Amino acid sequence: MNEQPVVQLRGVTKKIGTRTIVDDLSFDVMPGEIFGFLGPNGAGKTTTIRMMVGLISMTSGEVTIEGLSVVKEFERAMVRVGAIVENPELYKFMTGYQNLEHYARMVPGGVDKARIDEVIALVKLEQRIQDKVKTYSLGMRQRLGVAQAILHKPSVLILDEPTNGLDPEGIRELRDYLRHLSRTEGIAVIVSSHLLSEMELMCDRVAIIQNGKLLDVRTFKETQEGEEGLTIRFELDPIERARTIAAGMVRDAEISADEHSVTLRLTREMTAKLNAEFVAAGIQVYGIGQVTKSLEDQFLEVTRGNRIV
């Protein structure tokens, strides 16, 4: 895969007086991915985003957008960025369409009607685009804000806590739309949030930040079987007989068992073979499932021991 990162952070740091708000952050964001920026309130997420879009200065480090320095080539870099920091700025007394027309006039080189219609369809606002924004729900305003942010076909869309204030239906609509956008437009989407469940459903990768430090970057695409196989849990009875069979078939495997199940690492092929052995031995197999850690489990695993008391 020879794709180059759309966004690169290298050693990004922000200090205010003696306090370090953001501490030496480095990560890449690739084209077409939804990249989550996860951490508790006060972790430094919004400060980092503000530095990425040039709203505040960095103490040290560098941010590049498609290889262009946000500090040295600000205007050229920002042409490639669409962003909503906090709430989208909209004129409530104007229609959704008039808002987009107004913003299109401010884009260098302009935006034609075909592109305006295209983004309206992308955010699925065709039925309400001629209504005044003051009649829109919060979720519709958020989608109109996204439409405004991508009018000029940016390479990256940056959203700071975009689900704040949305009801469950609005959150789901925004999540589905961002996935559609990243796939159809190839835009890299950076989303900051403190909501673990939403990040797990929305993102391809998640950067975990705490106290201004990057603790880890985790991938949450569909689980791929690695060299060690998958963690498989068999629900069966009797347990002791099943454990003996598993130990005989899978040498040097770490096997855990409770009164209802046996769990171990297996390839897909070995899962089928072991199940056949259980059945042949007269063991009742009630269920077979893959065991995965939730984002919440992984977040707590990474942040434990990094808290400031």
Side-chain angles (χ1 to χ4, degrees):
M1 190 170 178
N2 295 319
E3 284 186 325
Q4 295 297 310
V6 175
V7 179
Q8 291 183 299
L9 275 71
R10 293 291 180 267
V12 172
T13 299
K14 179 65 177 180
K15 296 182 179 181
I16 299 177
T18 59
R19 187 182 173 202
T20 301
I21 309 298
V22 175
D23 190 0
D24 195 30
L25 289 192
S26 297
F27 58 81
D28 296 343
V29 181
M30 305 303 292
E33 80 168 326
I34 301 181
F35 186 89
F37 204 35
L38 175 66
N41 291 328
K45 302 187 303 295
T46 297
T47 300
T48 301
I49 284 176
R50 287 178 174 275
M51 289 189 287
M52 290 169 66
V53 298
L55 290 176
I56 59 175
S57 62
M58 290 173 271
T59 303
S60 61
E62 183 176 52
V63 176
T64 59
I65 312 292
E66 291 195 324
L68 299 169
S69 168
V70 168
V71 174
K72 299 174 184 175
E73 302 166 281
F74 178 73
E75 290 185 5
R76 291 179 64 204
M78 286 304 104
V79 167
R80 291 159 171 81
V81 176
I84 302 177
V85 181
E86 296 175 355
N87 297 313
E89 295 297 327
L90 302 167
Y91 294 102
K92 295 180 182 178
F93 62 89
M94 292 165 58
T95 67
Y97 196 90
Q98 288 170 334
N99 268 272
L100 293 178
E101 281 186 316
H102 177 69
Y103 186 75
R105 286 192 288 268
M106 295 188 284
V107 173
V111 175
D112 61 23
K113 182 180 184 302
R115 176 59 179 172
I116 295 176
D117 291 340
E118 185 180 5
V119 299
I120 291 168
L122 275 171
V123 299
K124 298 178 172 56
L125 279 175
E126 300 98 321
Q127 303 302 314
R128 297 291 305 277
I129 198 64
Q130 298 298 342
D131 296 346
K132 290 188 177 181
V133 171
K134 66 182 179 182
T135 68
Y136 284 12
S137 67
L138 186 57
M140 291 171 63
R141 291 179 193 178
Q142 197 72 286
R143 287 186 329 204
L144 182 63
V146 172
Q148 181 174 285
I150 64 170
L151 262 181
H152 61 296
K153 294 187 177 180
S155 302
V156 58
L157 174 64
I158 302 174
L159 305 174
D160 185 24
E161 299 277 3
T163 59
N164 271 3
L166 295 183
D167 60 20
E169 183 179 359
I171 291 173
R172 180 169 183 171
E173 284 180 358
L174 181 66
R175 180 176 71 233
D176 291 346
Y177 164 65
L178 291 178
R179 282 209 159 279
H180 176 68
L181 179 66
S182 68
R183 302 300 180 259
T184 58
E185 296 261 301
I187 294 175
V189 181
I190 299 175
V191 182
S192 81
S193 182
H194 62 279
L195 300 175
L196 282 78
S197 58
E198 281 312 311
M199 297 294 265
E200 187 166 22
L201 291 169
M202 186 185 299
C203 299
D204 299 308
R205 290 192 299 146
V206 175
I208 300 173
I209 182 174
Q210 187 175 28
N211 304 322
K213 292 179 178 289
L214 181 66
L215 301 185
D216 200 3
V217 177
R218 295 287 175 102
T219 299
F220 293 103
K221 290 181 179 176
E222 185 177 350
T223 303
Q224 301 293 320
E225 182 179 351
E227 292 181 5
E228 297 180 349
L230 306 168
T231 302
I232 303 296
R233 181 173 182 263
F234 291 88
E235 293 182 37
L236 29 66
D237 186 66
I239 289 296
E240 286 307 318
R241 175 72 176 138
R243 181 167 185 158
T244 300
I245 291 173
M249 279 197 67
V250 189
R251 304 288 181 184
D252 303 320
E254 184 176 320
I255 302 172
S256 61
D258 56 30
E259 60 182 6
H260 300 296
S261 67
V262 170
T263 304
L264 68 167
R265 296 287 288 181
L266 294 171
T267 63
R268 293 180 188 277
E269 292 76 15
M270 281 302 298
T271 300
K273 288 179 181 178
L274 184 56
N275 181 54
E277 287 292 322
F278 287 152
V279 173
I283 293 171
Q284 299 295 313
V285 180
Y286 301 110
I288 306 172
Q290 182 181 340
V291 179
T292 58
K293 289 183 181 179
S294 69
L295 178 55
E296 182 177 16
D297 292 335
Q298 296 188 53
F299 178 79
L300 293 173
E301 181 181 278
V302 170
T303 57
R304 192 173 288 119
N306 287 281
R307 299 180 182 277
I308 293 178
V309 180

